[in-house]
């Protein structure tokens, strides 16, 4: 079976790897390791299609190392046993391992002592954050290198290399078509190669046009791993943009979640934002958000984007206050620290000394509610913004009555 273009285009040398200028190039760490003919166990992590496999292959080929490639998910413990035996036979081997975050306990137990002794040098690859997903015992024996997302120019450079290669003989393609493949790739070089190759073989005359590409795929690729770091970065971008009242950025991150059709995560995070970041400055935002969510779920996609766009815009431009939730957090911290005290006798269930506020003018009467230990504690500090201005006036008036009494 013929290998896909992405594999055929895999670089033989580090200098041919696209992007990753923080690791590769004059004076950079991976280049220096290769130049010094030395390799250590390492883990390469980052989103798909940015060069993890390319770097691993280039390192072992430039150094002329004996190596084996395994996938932590697909290959069995027996496959790992074979690699260990081969390492013993040749006094060492480089093991390139994909999906290393999925390594089970049996394979870890086999791998660890051989990593420790230096019999196996590991180059692990993962799309997950190794600080969260990889066994600490393995992680401590490896250097961790984060790969950065490729730029559009990197993708175009890779496509132009492929066009000039012998693997796409006779191809005709213009710059607009290259630009379109680049945009659709989502900065995933592997996907860009695959799309170019399919476009090449789907024509009769080997002439690739924008129409050809759009017929194959007109929707950009998104790295939408719901359990991965990138997913939470998008949600973080959304919340911080709304908190910072940047409506354009807020709409951008919300649109990314809608494009991924991940309405569940979007609605859950917007619900948090409504109460954490907007709060008492605009307490009507909670019910308004709930109405927008119900409308979006009722009409479904693609129309759901209409109420979503409206509520995200309103939330971004709404006044903001975190006073209520920070007050509650402070109260909760007191409880967790054991700073509690006894409930005053006059507000206990059976008390006859309780003053019923509704029997007094303005439905308010001064009496102690907090335990003696905390009677002067102030958790809530109102802000002079939005609807909370009104609450602040009431709060200050009541505080003055307390002082005068």
């Amino acid at each position: 079976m013929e290998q896909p273009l992405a594999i055929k285009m895999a670089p033989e040398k580090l200098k041919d790897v696209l992007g990753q200028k923080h690791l590769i190039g004059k004076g950079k760490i991976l280049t220096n390791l290769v130049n010094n003919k030395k390799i250590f166990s390492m883990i390469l992590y980052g989103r798909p299609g940015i060069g993890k496999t390319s770097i691993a292959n280039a390192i072992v080929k430039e150094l002329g190392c004996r190596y084996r490639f395994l996938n932590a998910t697909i290959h069995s413990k027996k496959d790992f046993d074979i690699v260990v035996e081969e390492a013993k036979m040749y006094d060492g081997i480089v093991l390139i391992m994909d999906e290393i975050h999925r390594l089970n306990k049996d394979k870890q137990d086999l791998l660890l002592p051989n990593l420790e002794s230096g019999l196996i040098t590991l180059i692990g690859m993962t799309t997950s954050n190794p600080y969260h997903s990889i066994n600490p015992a393995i992680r401590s024996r490896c250097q961790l290198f984060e790969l950065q997302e490729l730029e559009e120019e990197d993708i175009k450079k890779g496509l132009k290399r492929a066009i000039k290669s012998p693997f796409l003989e006779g191809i005709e393609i213009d710059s607009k078509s290259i630009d379109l493949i680049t945009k659709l790739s989502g900065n995933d070089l592997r996907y860009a190669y695959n799309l170019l190759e399919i476009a090449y073989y789907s024509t009769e005359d080997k002439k690739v046009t924008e129409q050809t590409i759009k017929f194959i795929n007109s929707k950009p690729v998104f790295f939408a791993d719901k359990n991965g770091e990138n997913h939470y970065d998008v949600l973080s971008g959304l919340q911080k943009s709304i908190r910072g009242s940047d409506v354009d950025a807020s709409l951008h991150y919300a649109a990314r979640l809608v494009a991924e059709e991940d309405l569940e995560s979007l609605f859950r995070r917007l619900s948090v934002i409504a109460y954490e970041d907007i709060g008492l400055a605009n307490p009507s935002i909670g019910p308004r958000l709930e109405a927008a969510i119900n409308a979006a779920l009722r009409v479904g996609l693609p129309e759901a984007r209409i109420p979503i766009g409206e509520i995200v815009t309103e939330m971004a431009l709404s006044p903001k206050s975190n006073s209520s939730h920070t007050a509650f957090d402070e109260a909760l911290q007191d409880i967790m620290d054991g700073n509690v005290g006894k409930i005053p006798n006059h507000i206990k269930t059976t008390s006859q000394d309780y003053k019923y506020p509704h029997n007094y003018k303005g439905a308010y009467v001064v009496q102690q509610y907090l335990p003696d230990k905390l009677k002067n504690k102030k958790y809530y500090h109102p802000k002079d913004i939005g609807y909370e201005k009104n609450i602040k006036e009431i709060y200050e008036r009541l505080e003055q009555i307390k002082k005068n009494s």
Side-chain angles (χ1 to χ4, degrees):
M1 188 172 72
E2 189 176 357
Q3 291 180 323
L5 179 64
I7 292 178
K8 292 176 182 176
M9 292 300 301
E12 298 283 325
K13 296 184 178 180
L14 269 181
K15 67 180 181 64
D16 295 324
V17 173
L18 295 166
Q20 313 313 327
K21 293 185 174 76
H22 63 301
L23 297 174
I24 299 168
K26 184 175 175 56
K28 299 303 167 74
I29 184 167
L30 293 185
T31 300
N32 287 344
L33 287 175
V34 169
N35 289 343
N36 291 322
K37 305 296 181 184
K38 186 67 178 176
I39 185 171
F40 298 92
S41 288
M42 65 182 75
I43 294 172
L44 307 173
Y45 69 101
R47 56 170 293 176
I50 60 174
K52 296 184 292 295
T53 305
S54 294
I55 289 174
N57 283 328
I59 288 173
V60 293
K61 287 178 180 177
E62 278 205 71
L63 292 177
C65 301
R66 180 174 293 277
Y67 70 95
R68 287 291 177 265
F69 186 99
L70 293 180
N71 184 297
T73 306
I74 298 170
H75 290 97
S76 67
K77 184 174 179 292
K78 184 178 179 181
D79 296 314
F80 280 72
D81 285 329
I82 293 170
V83 171
V84 171
E85 290 305 313
E86 189 173 352
K88 291 176 180 176
M89 187 183 304
Y90 293 99
D91 195 28
I93 199 168
V94 176
L95 174 59
I96 301 173
M97 189 186 304
D98 203 6
E99 303 277 358
I100 189 172
H101 63 284
R102 297 188 184 277
L103 200 64
N104 65 28
K105 189 176 184 303
D106 286 346
K107 296 169 188 173
Q108 288 173 17
D109 291 344
L110 178 64
L111 185 61
L112 277 170
N114 294 295
L115 274 180
E116 187 73 46
S117 68
L119 190 65
I120 288 180
T121 302
L122 175 69
I123 303 180
M125 300 175 294
T126 177
T127 57
S128 298
N129 187 327
Y131 294 99
H132 301 155
S133 61
I134 292 177
N135 181 304
I138 290 179
R139 197 173 65 227
S140 70
R141 290 163 172 80
C142 299
Q143 296 301 313
L144 307 183
F145 297 117
E146 181 178 9
L147 272 62
Q148 296 175 355
E149 189 169 330
L150 297 179
E151 303 291 339
E152 285 194 359
E153 286 307 311
D154 296 321
I155 304 297
K156 288 180 184 178
K157 188 174 180 180
L159 289 171
K160 289 174 182 177
R161 280 185 191 174
I163 290 163
K164 293 177 181 177
S165 74
F167 309 123
L168 300 176
E169 187 178 353
I171 187 173
E172 291 183 37
I173 183 171
D174 59 23
S175 59
K176 288 185 177 180
S177 299
I178 294 173
D179 290 344
L180 180 58
I181 293 175
T182 301
K183 285 183 172 62
L184 292 174
S185 73
N187 292 352
D188 181 332
L189 184 59
R190 185 188 297 110
Y191 184 87
Y193 282 147
N194 290 343
L195 183 53
L196 176 64
E197 186 175 26
I198 292 169
Y200 171 74
Y201 283 109
S202 67
T203 63
E204 289 182 341
D205 55 5
K206 300 179 181 178
K207 187 175 183 179
V208 176
T209 65
E210 289 180 272
Q211 186 176 358
T212 310
I213 298 160
K214 287 177 181 177
F215 184 78
I216 298 167
N217 184 18
S218 60
K219 186 177 180 180
V221 171
F222 290 98
F223 177 44
D225 179 3
K226 286 191 70 172
N227 297 314
E229 185 178 15
N230 182 266
H231 171 72
Y232 293 104
D233 285 344
V234 172
L235 292 172
S236 177
L238 172 69
Q239 182 160 8
K240 287 169 182 170
S241 298
I242 292 178
R243 182 185 295 154
S245 300
D246 188 323
V247 65
D248 298 305
S250 302
L251 289 167
H252 170 79
Y253 291 114
R256 284 172 71 155
L257 291 161
V258 170
E260 296 167 12
E261 300 186 8
D262 186 7
L263 299 187
E264 181 184 355
S265 296
L266 173 61
F267 294 155
R268 187 165 56 245
R269 185 54 65 102
L270 289 176
S271 297
V272 171
I273 296 167
Y275 294 95
E276 180 182 351
D277 295 305
I278 296 173
L280 291 175
N282 182 7
S284 67
I285 203 69
R288 288 182 60 74
L289 172 61
E290 194 62 30
I293 290 172
N294 288 335
L297 293 174
R298 189 175 301 118
V299 300
L301 290 169
E303 288 83 359
R305 74 190 190 284
I306 300 168
I308 289 171
E310 183 175 314
I311 195 65
V312 168
T313 300
E314 183 178 356
M315 290 176 74
L317 297 177
S318 172
K320 311 292 192 303
S321 174
N322 67 347
S323 62
S324 58
H325 94 78
T326 54
F328 190 82
D329 285 348
E330 190 177 341
L332 189 60
Q333 190 60 51
D334 267 346
I335 307 304
M336 302 304 290
D337 292 341
N339 194 18
V340 181
K342 294 181 180 180
I343 297 170
N345 288 330
H346 62 276
I347 62 169
K348 289 182 179 178
T349 308
T350 57
S351 174
Q352 300 297 313
D353 298 324
Y354 172 61
K355 296 176 183 178
Y356 188 57
H358 295 288
N359 291 338
Y360 294 84
K361 183 180 179 180
Y364 180 73
V365 61
V366 176
Q367 61 186 327
Q368 183 180 329
Y369 292 96
L370 278 169
D372 286 342
K373 189 177 181 180
L374 298 167
K375 65 180 181 180
N376 295 317
K377 185 79 175 186
K378 300 295 180 188
Y379 294 115
Y380 178 56
H381 303 282
K383 294 190 175 183
D384 195 19
I385 186 169
Y387 176 82
E388 197 170 6
K389 283 182 181 179
N390 302 325
I391 294 177
K392 182 180 180 183
E393 290 176 7
I394 296 169
Y395 176 83
E396 289 176 345
R397 178 167 55 81
L398 295 176
E399 287 295 297
Q400 190 61 46
I401 293 172
K402 284 183 187 178
K403 288 180 182 178
N404 293 340
S405 66

